[in-house]
Amino acid sequence: MVKIGKIELPDFPLLLAPMEDVSDPPFRRLCKLHGADLMYSEFISSEGLIRDAIKSRQKLDIFDYERPVGIQIFGGDEEAMAMSAKIVETVQPDLVDINFGCPVKKVVCKGAGAGVLKDIDLMVRLTKAVVKSTHLPVTVKTRLGWDESSINIDEVAERLQDVGIHALTVHGRTRAQMYKGHSDWSHIARVKNNPRIKIPIFGNGDIDSPEKALEYKNKYGLDGIMIGRAAIGYPWIFDEIKHYFKTGEHLASPNITDRVEAARNHLIWSMEWKGERVGIVEMRRHYTNYFKGIPHFKEHRNKLVTLDEHNALLQVFDDIIQDYSGQLV
Ligand SMILES: Cc1cc2nc3c(=O)[nH]c(=O)nc-3n(C[C@H](O)[C@H](O)[C@H](O)COP(=O)(O)O)c2cc1C
């Protein structure tokens, strides 16, 4: 068992990564159904939360069926981070996570996200401010360091543990790498092997198959892994990895009916949560992923990303099942 504060997770848990514009409640519901052990919201601006920005507030929505669930915040100002952690506390997530990993310029420029990797003292002050302001367990997600020549995750882990975080997830890239190159988990393993480190350490970056998950589990000895991009349009990844760990065999891949069912549920839940119009439009970015590799799919895809009436969309799903029935897809 892995413990984060009082939260009890199974051995070697699989975490769904926080992903802006992706890991909203409808998507999390699918990942939960398919085996994610701990999930996070999209990142939420601490300044936005305090200003009561609608977009930030909406990201605070969490539901009991998805527990344990964490809400992730970012910001570069101690007071704003402390205040936003208090706001987060009012919706009673299981934990609050701080983003010190976002490489995007508009975030980094404000001294938030991965920006603080250049200033560990500030990172420690921000974390301390959040830990002091809430009763919730606080976790952190970050990268290896600012760039190749300044990898400082060893010091970061020790100092953040010392100010009271309950778990650390490390994406094995530097800020300078953005999403390029490979993530290097050997640095994360070194953190885990540091005898001073007692909190769970989760690895993140580039896990996209059961084989790779098992290889990294055995090779790096971490407490669990976090999966991001591989779950987009493919929430089955969690069940597939768990099954492979247990049996050494592959679960059957989702067939066309499974894919349609997932995409349809995703659409329906998006419409329920965001309203019909926004739900339909924001769902368009997901269809390519749900139907990746399906032959001759272009016509259906075109309809899915252009139709704006929900009954017409549901009809497309029925047509897809009809068209591919009897085929091995
Ligand atoms: C579309 C997208 C949005 C992301 N948004 C966030 C975010 O809000 N907070 C965060 O900590 N990381 C964010 N990330 C980074 C992921 O959580 C994760 O660290 C990264 O994708 C590497 O893991 P992966 O290789 O399994 O995708 C985002 C990544 C993607 C692709």
Side-chain angles (χ1 to χ4, degrees):
M1 187 203 295
V2 171
K3 284 188 85 173
I4 302 177
K6 290 195 183 112
I7 307 167
E8 295 180 353
L9 300 172
D11 272 342
F12 207 75
L14 304 180
L15 284 52
L16 170 68
M19 287 186 283
E20 190 188 17
D21 291 335
V22 178
S23 55
D24 56 13
F27 179 69
R28 295 201 301 263
R29 187 165 171 183
L30 276 163
C31 291
K32 184 76 183 181
L33 267 177
H34 291 290
D37 295 306
L38 171 62
M39 307 190 293
Y40 295 83
S41 69
E42 307 166 67
F43 69 1
I44 311 181
S45 154
S46 52
E47 314 276 348
L49 269 184
I50 292 165
R51 272 203 322 273
D52 209 15
I54 292 172
K55 196 167 172 226
S56 303
R57 284 280 169 166
Q58 197 189 20
K59 290 183 187 169
L60 289 179
D61 264 5
I62 49 167
F63 298 88
D64 274 339
Y65 58 74
E66 58 178 334
R67 291 185 185 281
V69 63
I71 287 181
Q72 189 189 61
I73 54 175
F74 72 93
D77 178 78
E78 286 162 63
E79 205 177 320
M81 286 294 273
M83 277 171 72
S84 63
K86 278 200 189 311
I87 296 171
V88 166
E89 201 175 56
T90 62
V91 302
Q92 298 182 336
D94 298 278
L95 60 85
V96 53
D97 186 72
I98 308 175
N99 176 315
F100 288 140
C102 180
V104 178
K105 256 210 179 109
K106 70 173 187 205
V107 173
V108 168
C109 287
K110 291 187 187 149
V116 289
L117 285 166
K118 274 183 172 169
D119 185 349
I120 303 185
D121 290 341
L122 173 61
M123 190 192 246
V124 170
R125 287 201 305 277
L126 290 166
T127 306
K128 204 170 169 180
V130 171
V131 169
K132 274 173 67 181
S133 72
T134 176
H135 300 296
L136 295 168
V138 175
T139 62
V140 163
K141 176 166 177 281
T142 187
R143 291 187 173 225
L144 300 176
W146 181 257
D147 61 19
E148 189 67 28
S149 65
S150 59
I151 289 179
N152 52 10
I153 191 63
D154 307 80
E155 180 184 350
V156 162
E158 287 196 6
R159 292 187 60 188
L160 295 185
Q161 176 180 269
D162 288 347
V163 293
I165 68 165
H166 283 84
L168 177 68
T169 301
V170 186
H171 177 186
R173 286 187 171 83
T174 62
R175 190 274 172 178
Q177 275 181 288
M178 305 294 282
Y179 287 92
K180 293 192 288 282
H182 299 289
S183 66
D184 180 351
W185 288 39
S186 61
H187 299 286
I188 317 175
R190 200 176 55 244
V191 171
K192 175 67 194 166
N193 287 329
N194 175 350
R196 278 246 298 117
I197 294 292
K198 307 290 180 217
I199 56 173
I201 304 293
F202 301 116
N204 170 238
D206 302 345
I207 298 296
D208 58 3
S209 68
E211 287 90 345
K212 191 160 186 181
L214 183 62
E215 183 197 333
Y216 278 37
K217 177 177 189 272
N218 292 338
K219 192 165 167 188
Y220 296 112
L222 304 176
D223 293 289
I225 56 183
M226 176 183 275
I227 298 170
R229 289 166 295 178
I232 303 178
Y234 205 85
W236 301 277
I237 186 89
F238 300 99
D239 280 338
E240 287 184 355
I241 291 175
K242 285 182 172 177
H243 186 80
Y244 193 70
F245 282 175
K246 218 188 270 172
T247 66
E249 312 223 325
H250 285 284
L251 261 186
S253 302
N255 61 24
I256 193 76
T257 310
D258 300 323
R259 287 170 188 268
V260 165
E261 192 191 344
R264 181 166 42 205
N265 281 337
H266 198 162
L267 170 67
I268 291 168
W269 296 335
S270 292
M271 290 190 300
E272 279 170 14
W273 185 63
K274 303 176 184 184
E276 183 164 328
R277 200 183 61 80
V278 179
I280 286 173
V281 171
E282 293 196 350
M283 190 57 205
R284 289 178 182 161
R285 64 173 82 113
H286 290 285
Y287 294 121
T288 302
N289 290 307
Y290 278 114
F291 297 104
K292 205 179 274 171
I294 304 291
H296 315 299
F297 196 75
K298 202 167 163 200
E299 205 176 305
H300 292 305
R301 189 189 164 277
N302 286 345
K303 284 188 187 162
L304 289 172
V305 299
T306 50
L307 291 172
D308 52 12
E309 203 281 314
H310 83 263
N311 282 323
L313 284 161
L314 296 181
Q315 183 61 49
V316 178
F317 288 131
D318 290 344
D319 293 344
I320 296 171
I321 292 185
Q322 184 82 29
D323 283 3
Y324 290 89
S325 66
Q327 294 183 37
L328 284 176
V329 290

